[in-house]
Amino acid sequence: MEAGLITYDNFVDDPFQTLQPDDETKGALNILKWAYDAYGDSIIYACSFGAEGIVLVDLIAKVKQDADIVFLDTGLHFPETYELINKVKEKYPSLRIRLKEPDLTLDEQREKYGSALWKRQPDQCCYIRKVKPLEETLQGAVAWLSGLRREQSPTRRNTNFINKDERFQSIKICPLIYWTWEDVWNYIRENNLPYNELHDQGYPSIGCFPCTSPVSKDGDSREGRWSGLNKTECGLHTTGK
Ligand code: SF4
């Protein structure tokens, strides 16, 4: 695959739109090889350590052993998520996995905005605890990686391998766009990867504990996120400020 260095300023279109996702990883490994070859250390993976995240970590480790991986640590994650991160650090010791915290501690946020901001103004809470920290993390990076899949939701259906990210004025690379939920779990099981134990308890998509609930057996994979609130995304994958 050939494509020059694509940046936010010169982006025209995804050069890999015609890439046939007919290999074992549905194009993911080829995209990762291209991305790390093109961007080197100027690419960051913002990992949520969900099921897709574990797959992507494992694929990245095959391509870039010292890849920079960031977890947006809101301070409101389930204990199982932190346990998983520790297991992943042990399994892939050469990866540079770091936790990025928001400027405001939870106590400072409560003092400034009142208690349980996530119930009253979840967009504001996500901005403080996720979006702004990612903005800070991506300063100096040309591109970032995400585990988005087209199948996940209608808002992700048009995601390409290489995307112009207006929100963070960056290039967003999504190697797993063609993966199904079944593909993700087949890969995890076949490769005996660690995963968040909450997945076995009805949580397909796992975020902060105040905003994540289990879903019915046949429920949409993101049905349990911000349930009861008019919100489906944390703001990392939308264009508005
Ligand atoms: Fe706050 Fe919920 Fe967003 Fe976490 S997911 S940052 S608790 S609103």
Side-chain angles (χ1 to χ4, degrees), residues 152-177:
Q152 277 172 319
S153 71
T155 56
R156 299 180 179 186
R157 207 158 283 155
N158 297 321
T159 307
N160 288 318
F161 282 129
I162 317 296
N163 305 268
K164 184 173 189 177
D165 183 357
E166 301 287 355
R167 180 65 192 77
F168 295 101
Q169 304 210 336
S170 179
I171 293 297
K172 182 163 70 175
I173 301 169
C174 304
L176 301 182
I177 54 174

Side-chain angles (χ1 to χ4, degrees), residues 74 76 118 122 125-126 129-130 208 210-211 226:
T74 61
L76 291 159
W118 45 88
C125 185
C126 273
R129 312 206 75 73
K130 289 185 173 182
C208 300
C211 302
W226 302 283

Side-chain angles (χ1 to χ4, degrees), residues 48-228:
S48 66
F49 288 90
E52 293 88 353
I54 294 304
V55 169
L56 210 36
V57 165
D58 191 70
L59 292 173
I60 287 170
K62 296 179 194 298
V63 174
K64 173 89 170 157
Q65 281 75 31
D66 63 346
D68 191 4
I69 298 179
V70 173
F71 174 69
L72 300 173
D73 185 5
T74 61
L76 291 159
H77 289 283
F78 291 93
E80 289 86 346
T81 305
Y82 294 105
E83 281 166 25
L84 172 63
I85 294 170
N86 286 335
K87 283 184 197 167
V88 173
K89 281 180 173 175
E90 274 174 33
K91 183 171 171 63
Y92 307 95
S94 64
L95 292 175
R96 290 178 289 145
I97 298 174
R98 56 195 169 103
L99 276 57
K100 168 73 176 165
E101 294 178 359
D103 291 341
L104 293 183
T105 64
L106 285 168
D107 284 345
E108 287 166 345
Q109 179 169 303
R110 187 166 48 243
E111 278 165 28
K112 193 165 176 189
Y113 296 97
S115 64
L117 184 62
W118 45 88
K119 285 187 186 161
R120 295 173 291 104
Q121 289 176 274
D123 286 343
Q124 177 76 24
C125 185
C126 273
Y127 178 75
I128 295 166
R129 312 206 75 73
K130 289 185 173 182
V131 178
K132 190 159 177 283
L134 185 58
E135 270 175 4
E136 291 165 3
T137 297
L138 294 182
Q139 277 173 16
V142 182
W144 65 294
L145 283 160
S146 167
L148 294 190
R149 294 181 298 111
R150 287 184 174 179
E151 180 194 70
Q152 277 172 319
S153 71
T155 56
R156 299 180 179 186
R157 207 158 283 155
N158 297 321
T159 307
N160 288 318
F161 282 129
I162 317 296
N163 305 268
K164 184 173 189 177
D165 183 357
E166 301 287 355
R167 180 65 192 77
F168 295 101
Q169 304 210 336
S170 179
I171 293 297
K172 182 163 70 175
I173 301 169
C174 304
L176 301 182
I177 54 174
Y178 291 116
W179 286 51
T180 64
W181 189 232
E182 197 182 352
D183 292 332
V184 169
W185 280 98
N186 284 342
Y187 188 91
I188 289 173
R189 292 193 185 102
E190 281 166 16
N191 293 281
N192 198 23
L193 302 184
Y195 62 85
N196 194 319
E197 291 171 18
L198 292 174
H199 288 306
D200 293 333
Q201 297 169 38
Y203 294 80
S205 176
I206 302 166
C208 300
F209 65 80
C211 302
T212 307
S213 38
V215 303
S216 56
K217 194 163 179 293
D218 301 316
D220 182 277
S221 71
R222 290 186 60 82
E223 174 190 299
R225 303 293 297 276
W226 302 283
S227 123

